[in-house]
Amino acid sequence: MMTSLEHPGYPQDGLLRLEEKLLCRESQVSLLLSLFGEPHQYSYPSIFIYGHTTTGKTYVMQTVLAELELPHALVSCVECFTSRMLFEHILNKLQSYVTSSEISQSLYISCDSFSDFVRLFKQLISHQDLKNQTVYIVLDKAEQLREMEANLLPGFLRLQEMTDANVTVIFLTEIVWEKLHPNMGCFEPLILYFPDYSKVELQKILSHDHPSEYSAEFYAAYINILLGVFYTVCRDLKELKHLAAINFAKFCEPVTKGEATESDTRKLWKNIEPHLKTAMQTVYLREISSSQWEKLQQEDREAGQLKGLSAYAHVELPYYSKFLLIAGYLASYNPARTDRRFFVKHHGKIKKTKFLKKHEKGNIDNTAYEFMNNEFPRLAKIFGIPNFINQTNNHLLGPKPFPLDRLLAIFYSIVDSRIAPTANIFSQISSLVTLQLLTLVGHDDQLNGPKYKCAVSLDFIRAVARTVSFDLIRYLYDFL
């Protein structure tokens, strides 16, 4: 079988495996092999590979070096966040390629500085196992080098020159070279760009690993439907693979039950459409695991209705932000006069009927008022209906604005632990405004302090309150 990846010095079966595994990256792999040359030839000192996330940079490098059995050390700069960890990981990985009896495989190499790293690296590659071939050092998430010592990046760029050895350092990152370029002069690497996958390429990659119990055409039709829904909002290959995995069982349901054939695309689409729309609401969020999603779908089938994931959105709020939102809701829907009743221990008793008679009688005549105040509550109690006549329902009138000091006073009353009024609390209030859960009323430059309104529904705030075990109804004036 002929392969499009042809290069002297590498076995044909290894190139065939690369072509099978690295779909839609043939041009990048071919260019890399041309830069590498044959194993005994000197390669380019440093290569800078950049591109967006999930464009295959790390996977391509890992697969090429492993399948062609090239000596290499691949290290993540996120995991090895100090220079010492970085040096030691590289040296100990390369030590595993040395089979000489002079080096004990159980001996861990320690390294504290870049000068020690150069010295120990020269000792390692002087052994016969590494002497006559190119050694590759791959630094994944290379943008993290900006947070380390200033000499690391220029040193790795000139490592071939400093060690006088056949070594190539490969930088993998999501940022362009201009953002990583140090202020001091340095050796310029060879820059290689990995473009995003197109829709056709994503279709080919996702359709490649189809389940054995279904035909390739059937799975390809499913992937085509999936991309038709999600491609405009998500180009992330990992996320699309996750979405394809958790929704495929629902797509196959009519075929499994014998209600449709694999070619009956219309019926299959009508069955999967509401579930794909629900899954679109939580792309990237990972609010629940795949097994929980499957369990949720099973419960929906038993109940005969589709339950969305929007009810889980409150899980993403920080702990104190939930209490701030609850405090904002209470301040919006409770009269300010009732705060003493709900949040002060020894408040005495406030008779609600007298308060209502004084403030909410309005312009109705005495006969109608007597009926609403005396007869209707009795009838409502007999027939079991809510008594909303003798009070003005604040939930029907909508949220009222409240000042910042009232919000904080309620917050400190309901939160279950002592907390100082730090900048973190005020920043969480700003975050709630940004998320449009609270609304800022008036101008920012007003002298008497900002005022807010709560912009969430009763169902939403009750769901939030349940996550922190807070009895919301007990503190709402409308439900007394």
Side-chain angles (χ1 to χ4, degrees), residues 121-248:
F121 183 79
K122 290 174 72 174
Q123 292 177 8
L124 272 177
I125 61 175
S126 63
H127 292 278
Q128 194 64 31
D129 300 295
L130 297 174
K131 192 172 184 179
N132 298 320
Q133 53 184 327
T134 307
V135 174
Y136 297 93
I137 297 175
V138 184
L139 301 177
D140 195 12
K141 306 292 182 184
E143 62 270 12
Q144 298 298 322
L145 292 174
R146 296 179 296 182
E147 308 298 327
M148 301 185 191
E149 286 83 350
N151 66 332
L152 276 185
L153 181 57
F156 278 119
L157 289 169
R158 290 187 175 273
L159 188 61
Q160 187 180 101
E161 179 185 334
M162 289 189 291
T163 58
D164 194 24
N166 187 6
V167 57
T168 295
V169 181
I170 301 172
F171 302 89
L172 304 180
T173 179
E174 296 177 13
I175 63 175
V176 295
W177 168 245
E178 288 73 19
K179 290 188 177 181
L180 191 63
H181 191 289
N183 294 329
M184 63 185 78
C186 68
F187 183 82
E188 294 287 332
L190 187 67
I191 298 175
L192 180 60
Y193 174 62
F194 272 48
D196 292 341
Y197 291 110
S198 66
K199 188 175 181 179
V200 176
E201 290 173 336
L202 288 172
Q203 169 87 27
K204 182 178 179 181
I205 295 169
L206 293 171
S207 303
H208 184 256
D209 299 321
H210 65 87
S212 55
E213 58 269 22
Y214 295 99
S215 65
E217 293 77 13
F218 176 68
Y219 194 72
Y222 165 66
I223 295 299
N224 189 39
I225 290 174
L226 188 83
L227 288 176
V229 174
F230 290 101
Y231 184 73
T232 55
V233 297
C234 176
R235 312 287 173 90
D236 191 316
L237 181 59
K238 291 180 182 177
E239 186 70 19
L240 289 171
K241 281 185 175 181
H242 172 73
L243 292 167
I246 65 175
N247 291 290
F248 184 61

Side-chain angles (χ1 to χ4, degrees), residues 458-473:
L458 178 61
D459 290 337
F460 183 90
I461 201 66
R462 290 181 70 180
V464 173
R466 278 195 296 269
T467 64
V468 291
S469 303
F470 181 79
D471 187 2
L472 179 76
I473 300 301

Side-chain angles (χ1 to χ4, degrees), residues 136 195 216 223 245 329 351 387 437:
Y136 297 93
I223 295 299
Y329 191 86
K351 292 185 178 179
N387 178 18
L437 301 176

Side-chain angles (χ1 to χ4, degrees), residues 11 14 17-18 21-22 36 58-72 74 93 97 136 138:
R17 289 195 299 272
L18 285 181
K21 292 183 175 181
L22 304 177
F36 290 173
T58 306
Y59 179 68
V60 165
M61 287 307 311
Q62 199 169 15
T63 307
V64 168
L65 296 172
E67 289 294 338
L68 301 182
E69 299 179 354
L70 301 174
H72 67 280
L74 193 150
K93 177 64 178 176
Y97 290 97
Y136 297 93
V138 184

